[in-house]
Amino acid sequence: SQQGEEDPQALSIQEGENATMNCSYKTSINNLQWYRQNSGRGLVHLILIRSNEREKHSGRLRVTLDTSKKSSSLLITASRAADTASYFCALISIQGAQKLVFGQGTRLTINP
Amino acid sequence: DTGVSQDPRHKITKRGQNVTFRCDPISEHNRLYWYRQTLGQGPEFLTYFQNEAQLEKSRLLSDRFSAERPKGSFSTLEIQRTEQGDSAMYLCASSLAQIHPHEQFFGPGTRLTVL
């Protein structure tokens, strides 16, 4: 399966702590992306990391990619209550497909 | 608000009825995608268009499903003879192939409930 698998499925932390979510996959990728989804809403693009990149930062977000292990992680530093959402990794395979293949997501809850 | 709009936001229908959803992408975006998301799962790809051409269809898209993008702008997704298993959130996304082909901007979705 090309699908990303995320770990953990649910994560609950205190406001101010860091949150780390992991994504593993099986195919060869062109790029991997992370999206956020608030309950019952559409998805918001957070960050894209290409297969030749190892780390990217955007504000309080840090994404790493290890293509040898076929895994990625999303770190949210200094979490806020507003970060409560589901986070999905999605990959674009190298086979020229244009579709995003999503994992099942991590449900993140930030407790005030 | 990403600039992608979907209508309606919610649809409740009885089994066996036909439903049609509309998606208006960001105006200059030439690629348009449809995904389906069931509760607790990630979105699953259904189909995508480049301009008016439908270039890929998932095997999830049974013969009861049809999508069109007649003028390369808005798109419609029709489900005929709806079944309870069709209940899901239907998400539309768009992207600009020439600049950021892989960064997709999602609409708010249409939540379909089939009774």
Short mmCIF file of all heavy atoms in Angstrom, two decimals, chain A residues 30-31 33 35 37 40-43 45 48 88 92 97-100 102-104, chain B residues 31 33 35 37 40-43 45 48 56 89 91 102-104 106-108 111:
data_model
loop_
_atom_site.label_atom_id
_atom_site.label_comp_id
_atom_site.label_asym_id
_atom_site.label_seq_id
_atom_site.Cartn_x
_atom_site.Cartn_y
_atom_site.Cartn_z
N ASN A 30 7.79 11.38 -4.33
CA ASN A 30 8.25 12.65 -4.89
C ASN A 30 8.34 13.67 -3.77
O ASN A 30 9.32 14.40 -3.64
CB ASN A 30 7.28 13.09 -5.97
CG ASN A 30 7.64 14.44 -6.58
OD1 ASN A 30 7.64 15.46 -5.90
ND2 ASN A 30 7.96 14.44 -7.86
N ASN A 31 7.30 13.74 -2.96
CA ASN A 31 7.29 14.62 -1.80
C ASN A 31 6.29 14.11 -0.77
O ASN A 31 5.46 13.23 -1.07
CB ASN A 31 6.97 16.06 -2.20
CG ASN A 31 5.56 16.22 -2.74
OD1 ASN A 31 4.58 16.17 -2.03
ND2 ASN A 31 5.47 16.41 -4.06
N GLN A 33 3.69 15.63 2.41
CA GLN A 33 3.08 16.86 2.91
C GLN A 33 2.35 16.57 4.22
O GLN A 33 1.95 15.43 4.48
CB GLN A 33 2.09 17.39 1.87
CG GLN A 33 2.73 17.63 0.50
CD GLN A 33 1.74 18.08 -0.54
OE1 GLN A 33 0.86 18.89 -0.28
NE2 GLN A 33 1.89 17.57 -1.76
N TYR A 35 -0.93 18.03 6.53
CA TYR A 35 -2.14 18.84 6.54
C TYR A 35 -2.76 18.81 7.93
O TYR A 35 -2.62 17.82 8.68
CB TYR A 35 -3.17 18.28 5.53
CG TYR A 35 -2.85 18.56 4.08
CD1 TYR A 35 -1.93 17.76 3.40
CD2 TYR A 35 -3.47 19.60 3.40
CE1 TYR A 35 -1.64 18.02 2.06
CE2 TYR A 35 -3.19 19.85 2.06
CZ TYR A 35 -2.27 19.06 1.41
OH TYR A 35 -1.99 19.32 0.09
N GLN A 37 -6.53 19.38 9.98
CA GLN A 37 -7.97 19.43 9.78
C GLN A 37 -8.65 19.63 11.13
O GLN A 37 -8.53 18.79 12.02
CB GLN A 37 -8.50 18.13 9.14
CG GLN A 37 -9.98 18.17 8.80
CD GLN A 37 -10.45 16.91 8.11
OE1 GLN A 37 -10.02 15.80 8.43
NE2 GLN A 37 -11.34 17.05 7.12
N GLY A 40 -14.56 18.43 11.43
CA GLY A 40 -15.62 18.65 10.46
C GLY A 40 -15.33 19.68 9.40
O GLY A 40 -16.24 20.11 8.69
N ARG A 41 -14.08 20.09 9.28
CA ARG A 41 -13.73 21.14 8.32
C ARG A 41 -12.83 20.59 7.22
O ARG A 41 -12.45 19.43 7.22
CB ARG A 41 -13.01 22.27 9.06
CG ARG A 41 -13.73 22.79 10.30
CD ARG A 41 -14.92 23.64 9.95
NE ARG A 41 -14.56 24.90 9.36
CZ ARG A 41 -14.25 25.98 10.07
NH1 ARG A 41 -14.25 25.93 11.38
NH2 ARG A 41 -13.93 27.10 9.46
N GLY A 42 -12.47 21.45 6.29
CA GLY A 42 -11.55 21.07 5.23
C GLY A 42 -10.12 21.01 5.73
O GLY A 42 -9.83 21.32 6.88
N LEU A 43 -9.22 20.60 4.88
CA LEU A 43 -7.82 20.45 5.24
C LEU A 43 -7.02 21.70 4.91
O LEU A 43 -7.26 22.34 3.88
CB LEU A 43 -7.20 19.26 4.51
CG LEU A 43 -7.69 17.90 4.97
CD1 LEU A 43 -8.79 17.40 4.06
CD2 LEU A 43 -6.57 16.90 5.02
N HIS A 45 -3.16 23.05 4.26
CA HIS A 45 -1.80 22.63 3.97
C HIS A 45 -0.83 23.29 4.94
O HIS A 45 -0.87 24.51 5.15
CB HIS A 45 -1.45 23.02 2.53
CG HIS A 45 -0.09 22.60 2.11
ND1 HIS A 45 1.03 23.40 2.24
CD2 HIS A 45 0.34 21.44 1.56
CE1 HIS A 45 2.08 22.75 1.78
NE2 HIS A 45 1.69 21.57 1.36
N LEU A 48 5.36 21.15 2.90
CA LEU A 48 5.74 20.14 1.91
C LEU A 48 7.23 19.93 1.99
O LEU A 48 7.98 20.90 2.03
CB LEU A 48 5.33 20.62 0.51
CG LEU A 48 5.63 19.73 -0.71
CD1 LEU A 48 4.62 20.04 -1.83
CD2 LEU A 48 7.04 19.90 -1.24
N PHE A 88 -2.59 15.08 9.26
CA PHE A 88 -2.44 14.01 8.28
C PHE A 88 -1.15 14.19 7.50
O PHE A 88 -0.82 15.31 7.09
CB PHE A 88 -3.60 14.02 7.27
CG PHE A 88 -4.93 13.71 7.87
CD1 PHE A 88 -5.75 14.74 8.33
CD2 PHE A 88 -5.40 12.41 7.94
CE1 PHE A 88 -6.99 14.46 8.87
CE2 PHE A 88 -6.65 12.12 8.48
CZ PHE A 88 -7.44 13.15 8.95
N ILE A 92 2.98 12.13 -2.32
CA ILE A 92 2.89 12.06 -3.78
C ILE A 92 3.94 11.04 -4.20
O ILE A 92 5.14 11.21 -3.92
CB ILE A 92 3.18 13.42 -4.44
CG1 ILE A 92 2.13 14.45 -4.06
CG2 ILE A 92 3.28 13.26 -5.96
CD1 ILE A 92 0.82 14.37 -4.82
N ALA A 97 2.08 10.04 -10.32
CA ALA A 97 0.68 10.29 -9.96
C ALA A 97 0.54 11.68 -9.36
O ALA A 97 1.47 12.19 -8.74
CB ALA A 97 0.21 9.23 -8.97
N GLN A 98 -0.61 12.27 -9.55
CA GLN A 98 -0.84 13.61 -9.02
C GLN A 98 -1.67 13.58 -7.75
O GLN A 98 -1.84 14.60 -7.11
CB GLN A 98 -1.56 14.46 -10.07
CG GLN A 98 -0.81 14.57 -11.38
CD GLN A 98 0.60 15.12 -11.18
OE1 GLN A 98 0.81 16.02 -10.38
NE2 GLN A 98 1.57 14.56 -11.88
N LYS A 99 -2.17 12.42 -7.38
CA LYS A 99 -3.07 12.35 -6.23
C LYS A 99 -2.28 12.30 -4.94
O LYS A 99 -1.17 11.77 -4.87
CB LYS A 99 -3.94 11.10 -6.33
CG LYS A 99 -3.14 9.81 -6.32
CD LYS A 99 -4.01 8.61 -6.60
CE LYS A 99 -3.16 7.33 -6.61
NZ LYS A 99 -3.96 6.17 -7.05
N LEU A 100 -2.86 12.86 -3.90
CA LEU A 100 -2.32 12.74 -2.56
C LEU A 100 -2.85 11.45 -1.95
O LEU A 100 -4.02 11.14 -2.05
CB LEU A 100 -2.77 13.93 -1.71
CG LEU A 100 -2.10 15.26 -1.98
CD1 LEU A 100 -2.87 16.38 -1.30
CD2 LEU A 100 -0.66 15.24 -1.51
N PHE A 102 -3.26 9.80 1.62
CA PHE A 102 -3.25 10.24 3.01
C PHE A 102 -3.12 9.07 3.97
O PHE A 102 -3.58 7.96 3.70
CB PHE A 102 -4.56 10.95 3.34
CG PHE A 102 -4.67 12.34 2.78
CD1 PHE A 102 -5.10 12.55 1.49
CD2 PHE A 102 -4.34 13.43 3.57
CE1 PHE A 102 -5.19 13.83 0.97
CE2 PHE A 102 -4.44 14.72 3.06
CZ PHE A 102 -4.87 14.92 1.76
N GLY A 103 -2.52 9.37 5.14
CA GLY A 103 -2.57 8.45 6.24
C GLY A 103 -3.88 8.60 6.99
O GLY A 103 -4.75 9.39 6.59
N GLN A 104 -4.02 7.86 8.08
CA GLN A 104 -5.26 7.89 8.84
C GLN A 104 -5.31 9.05 9.81
O GLN A 104 -6.36 9.36 10.38
CB GLN A 104 -5.45 6.57 9.60
CG GLN A 104 -5.73 5.40 8.69
CD GLN A 104 -6.08 4.15 9.47
OE1 GLN A 104 -5.46 3.85 10.48
NE2 GLN A 104 -7.06 3.42 8.99
N ARG B 31 -5.85 22.48 -12.02
CA ARG B 31 -6.10 21.10 -11.57
C ARG B 31 -7.16 21.10 -10.48
O ARG B 31 -7.15 21.95 -9.60
CB ARG B 31 -4.82 20.44 -11.05
CG ARG B 31 -3.87 20.05 -12.17
CD ARG B 31 -2.72 19.24 -11.66
NE ARG B 31 -1.82 18.88 -12.76
CZ ARG B 31 -0.56 18.48 -12.60
NH1 ARG B 31 -0.06 18.39 -11.38
NH2 ARG B 31 0.16 18.17 -13.65
N TYR B 33 -9.38 18.29 -7.88
CA TYR B 33 -9.38 16.94 -7.33
C TYR B 33 -10.64 16.73 -6.48
O TYR B 33 -11.10 17.65 -5.82
CB TYR B 33 -8.17 16.72 -6.42
CG TYR B 33 -6.84 17.13 -7.00
CD1 TYR B 33 -6.46 18.46 -7.03
CD2 TYR B 33 -5.95 16.18 -7.49
CE1 TYR B 33 -5.24 18.85 -7.54
CE2 TYR B 33 -4.72 16.56 -8.00
CZ TYR B 33 -4.37 17.89 -8.02
OH TYR B 33 -3.15 18.27 -8.54
N TYR B 35 -11.94 14.08 -3.35
CA TYR B 35 -11.57 13.08 -2.37
C TYR B 35 -12.82 12.75 -1.54
O TYR B 35 -13.73 13.57 -1.43
CB TYR B 35 -10.49 13.60 -1.41
CG TYR B 35 -9.14 13.85 -2.04
CD1 TYR B 35 -8.86 15.05 -2.69
CD2 TYR B 35 -8.13 12.89 -1.97
CE1 TYR B 35 -7.62 15.29 -3.26
CE2 TYR B 35 -6.87 13.12 -2.53
CZ TYR B 35 -6.64 14.32 -3.17
OH TYR B 35 -5.40 14.55 -3.74
N GLN B 37 -13.88 11.31 2.40
CA GLN B 37 -13.35 11.05 3.73
C GLN B 37 -14.46 10.51 4.63
O GLN B 37 -15.48 11.18 4.82
CB GLN B 37 -12.76 12.32 4.35
CG GLN B 37 -12.11 12.12 5.70
CD GLN B 37 -11.50 13.38 6.25
OE1 GLN B 37 -11.94 14.49 5.92
NE2 GLN B 37 -10.50 13.25 7.09
N GLY B 40 -13.11 9.36 10.92
CA GLY B 40 -11.93 8.78 11.54
C GLY B 40 -10.86 8.32 10.58
O GLY B 40 -9.86 7.73 11.00
N GLN B 41 -11.06 8.59 9.30
CA GLN B 41 -10.09 8.16 8.29
C GLN B 41 -9.51 9.36 7.56
O GLN B 41 -10.05 10.46 7.61
CB GLN B 41 -10.76 7.23 7.27
CG GLN B 41 -11.39 5.99 7.87
CD GLN B 41 -10.37 5.06 8.47
OE1 GLN B 41 -9.33 4.77 7.88
NE2 GLN B 41 -10.64 4.58 9.69
N GLY B 42 -8.40 9.13 6.86
CA GLY B 42 -7.88 10.17 6.00
C GLY B 42 -8.65 10.21 4.69
O GLY B 42 -9.32 9.25 4.32
N PRO B 43 -8.55 11.31 3.97
CA PRO B 43 -9.22 11.40 2.66
C PRO B 43 -8.68 10.35 1.68
O PRO B 43 -7.51 10.01 1.72
CB PRO B 43 -8.89 12.82 2.19
CG PRO B 43 -8.54 13.56 3.44
CD PRO B 43 -7.89 12.57 4.33
N PHE B 45 -8.52 9.46 -2.49
CA PHE B 45 -8.62 10.06 -3.82
C PHE B 45 -9.75 9.41 -4.62
O PHE B 45 -9.91 8.19 -4.63
CB PHE B 45 -7.29 9.88 -4.53
CG PHE B 45 -7.30 10.24 -5.99
CD1 PHE B 45 -7.20 11.56 -6.39
CD2 PHE B 45 -7.40 9.25 -6.95
CE1 PHE B 45 -7.19 11.89 -7.73
CE2 PHE B 45 -7.40 9.57 -8.30
CZ PHE B 45 -7.29 10.89 -8.68
N TYR B 48 -9.29 13.25 -10.64
CA TYR B 48 -8.78 14.59 -10.81
C TYR B 48 -8.85 15.03 -12.28
O TYR B 48 -8.86 14.20 -13.20
CB TYR B 48 -7.38 14.76 -10.22
CG TYR B 48 -6.21 14.67 -11.16
CD1 TYR B 48 -5.66 15.83 -11.73
CD2 TYR B 48 -5.61 13.45 -11.43
CE1 TYR B 48 -4.56 15.75 -12.56
CE2 TYR B 48 -4.51 13.38 -12.25
CZ TYR B 48 -3.98 14.52 -12.81
OH TYR B 48 -2.88 14.45 -13.64
N GLU B 56 -7.51 10.95 -14.20
CA GLU B 56 -7.36 9.75 -13.39
C GLU B 56 -8.62 9.53 -12.57
O GLU B 56 -9.21 10.49 -12.07
CB GLU B 56 -6.14 9.85 -12.46
CG GLU B 56 -5.84 8.55 -11.72
CD GLU B 56 -4.55 8.58 -10.92
OE1 GLU B 56 -3.76 9.53 -11.09
OE2 GLU B 56 -4.33 7.65 -10.12
N MET B 89 -17.72 12.67 3.92
CA MET B 89 -17.41 14.04 3.54
C MET B 89 -16.75 13.98 2.18
O MET B 89 -15.79 13.23 1.98
CB MET B 89 -16.46 14.66 4.57
CG MET B 89 -16.00 16.06 4.21
SD MET B 89 -17.22 17.30 4.64
CE MET B 89 -16.67 17.65 6.32
N LEU B 91 -14.61 16.01 -0.42
CA LEU B 91 -13.70 17.16 -0.43
C LEU B 91 -13.22 17.45 -1.84
O LEU B 91 -12.90 16.53 -2.60
CB LEU B 91 -12.49 16.88 0.46
CG LEU B 91 -12.77 16.72 1.96
CD1 LEU B 91 -11.61 16.03 2.64
CD2 LEU B 91 -13.02 18.07 2.60
N HIS B 102 1.86 20.18 -6.64
CA HIS B 102 1.54 19.20 -5.62
C HIS B 102 0.93 19.81 -4.37
O HIS B 102 0.54 19.08 -3.47
CB HIS B 102 2.78 18.39 -5.26
CG HIS B 102 3.28 17.58 -6.41
ND1 HIS B 102 4.60 17.25 -6.58
CD2 HIS B 102 2.63 17.03 -7.46
CE1 HIS B 102 4.75 16.53 -7.68
NE2 HIS B 102 3.57 16.38 -8.23
N GLU B 103 0.88 21.11 -4.27
CA GLU B 103 0.28 21.75 -3.10
C GLU B 103 -1.18 21.98 -3.40
O GLU B 103 -1.53 22.82 -4.24
CB GLU B 103 0.97 23.05 -2.77
CG GLU B 103 0.40 23.70 -1.50
CD GLU B 103 1.14 24.97 -1.12
OE1 GLU B 103 2.30 25.11 -1.56
OE2 GLU B 103 0.56 25.80 -0.41
N GLN B 104 -2.03 21.24 -2.75
CA GLN B 104 -3.45 21.28 -3.04
C GLN B 104 -4.18 22.09 -1.97
O GLN B 104 -3.92 21.95 -0.78
CB GLN B 104 -4.01 19.86 -3.12
CG GLN B 104 -3.38 19.06 -4.26
CD GLN B 104 -3.93 17.66 -4.38
OE1 GLN B 104 -5.00 17.34 -3.88
NE2 GLN B 104 -3.19 16.80 -5.09
N PHE B 106 -7.70 22.86 -0.26
CA PHE B 106 -8.96 22.14 -0.06
C PHE B 106 -10.11 23.08 0.27
O PHE B 106 -9.95 24.09 0.97
CB PHE B 106 -8.82 21.12 1.08
CG PHE B 106 -8.11 19.87 0.66
CD1 PHE B 106 -6.72 19.84 0.59
CD2 PHE B 106 -8.82 18.74 0.32
CE1 PHE B 106 -6.05 18.68 0.18
CE2 PHE B 106 -8.17 17.57 -0.08
CZ PHE B 106 -6.79 17.56 -0.15
N GLY B 107 -11.29 22.70 -0.21
CA GLY B 107 -12.51 23.37 0.18
C GLY B 107 -13.01 22.82 1.50
O GLY B 107 -12.43 21.89 2.07
N PRO B 108 -14.12 23.38 2.01
CA PRO B 108 -14.65 22.98 3.31
C PRO B 108 -15.35 21.63 3.30
O PRO B 108 -15.62 21.07 4.36
CB PRO B 108 -15.64 24.09 3.65
CG PRO B 108 -16.08 24.60 2.33
CD PRO B 108 -14.89 24.49 1.42
N ARG B 111 -20.76 17.41 3.38
CA ARG B 111 -21.04 16.22 4.19
C ARG B 111 -22.34 15.59 3.72
O ARG B 111 -23.39 16.23 3.77
CB ARG B 111 -21.14 16.56 5.68
CG ARG B 111 -21.39 15.33 6.54
CD ARG B 111 -21.21 15.57 8.01
NE ARG B 111 -19.85 15.92 8.37
CZ ARG B 111 -18.85 15.05 8.48
NH1 ARG B 111 -19.06 13.78 8.24
NH2 ARG B 111 -17.65 15.47 8.85
#
